[in-house]
């Protein structure tokens, strides 16, 4: 695993077969995340998108009241933001796990790994 990159709300690092990123904070507006992640990849963490099937794990951690954010909308926004950076197209996602759970702080973690043949 590499060191974390990023100075703002979004941080990322390469891992075996893919990438892992965290986004600090939670908003009920899923569309907020797409430009945030897109700009991060464009300016701070350039990757060459890969072909093949991917497994993606998305975890939303929160403190306090359960957010009313729909996980499916969040997943769609984040997968669209990763498209062209981690994988060529989100149709390459062969397995998607989305989870909402109580955590130590409000954040979203995404792990995208190329599936082995």
């Amino acid at each position: 695993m590499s060191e974390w990159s990023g100075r703002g709300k979004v941080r990322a690092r390469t891992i075996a077969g893919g990438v892992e990123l965290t986004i600090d904070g939670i908003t009920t507006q899923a569309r907020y995340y797409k430009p945030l992640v897109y700009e991060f990849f464009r300016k701070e963490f350039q990757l060459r998108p890969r072909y093949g099937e991917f497994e993606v794990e998305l975890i939303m951690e929160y403190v306090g009241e359960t957010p009313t954010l729909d996980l499916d909308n969040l997943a769609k926004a984040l997968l669209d933001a990763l498209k062209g950076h981690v994988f060529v197209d989100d149709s390459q996602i062969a397995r998607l796990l989305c989870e909402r759970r109580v955590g130590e702080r409000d954040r979203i973690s995404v792990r995208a790994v190329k599936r082995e043949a």
Side-chain angles (χ1 to χ4, degrees):
M1 280 190 230
S2 67
E3 294 293 317
W4 288 97
S5 297
R7 300 181 298 278
K9 291 182 179 256
V10 182
R11 297 182 324 136
R13 66 180 175 182
T14 55
I15 57 173
V19 67
E20 185 175 43
L21 68 135
T22 63
I23 304 163
D24 290 336
I26 295 175
T27 176
T28 58
Q29 300 297 315
R31 66 178 176 262
Y32 163 82
Y33 297 106
K34 184 176 177 179
L36 183 70
V37 172
Y38 173 81
E39 284 299 310
F40 171 78
F41 276 106
R42 192 175 72 79
K43 293 179 179 176
E44 296 187 47
F45 197 80
Q46 285 81 32
L47 285 177
R48 174 170 256 134
R50 297 170 68 186
Y51 289 94
E53 292 188 337
F54 277 80
E55 295 184 6
V56 177
E57 180 180 292
L58 185 150
I59 299 171
M60 179 177 65
E61 295 180 74
Y62 65 93
V63 176
E65 300 256 337
T66 304
T68 57
L69 177 62
D70 292 341
L71 279 178
D72 60 331
N73 293 337
L74 176 63
K76 181 66 177 155
L78 290 172
L79 293 176
D80 282 349
L82 295 175
K83 182 171 60 176
H85 300 286
V86 176
F87 37 78
V88 177
D89 189 77
D90 52 358
S91 65
Q92 294 171 247
I93 306 300
R95 180 175 180 267
L96 176 62
L97 172 68
C98 298
E99 182 180 352
R100 179 179 61 211
R101 66 181 179 209
V102 175
E104 295 177 10
R105 64 180 187 202
D106 290 347
R107 77 173 157 205
I108 297 164
S109 301
V110 181
R111 178 184 287 251
V113 179
K114 192 166 188 277
R115 187 179 249 193
E116 296 299 320

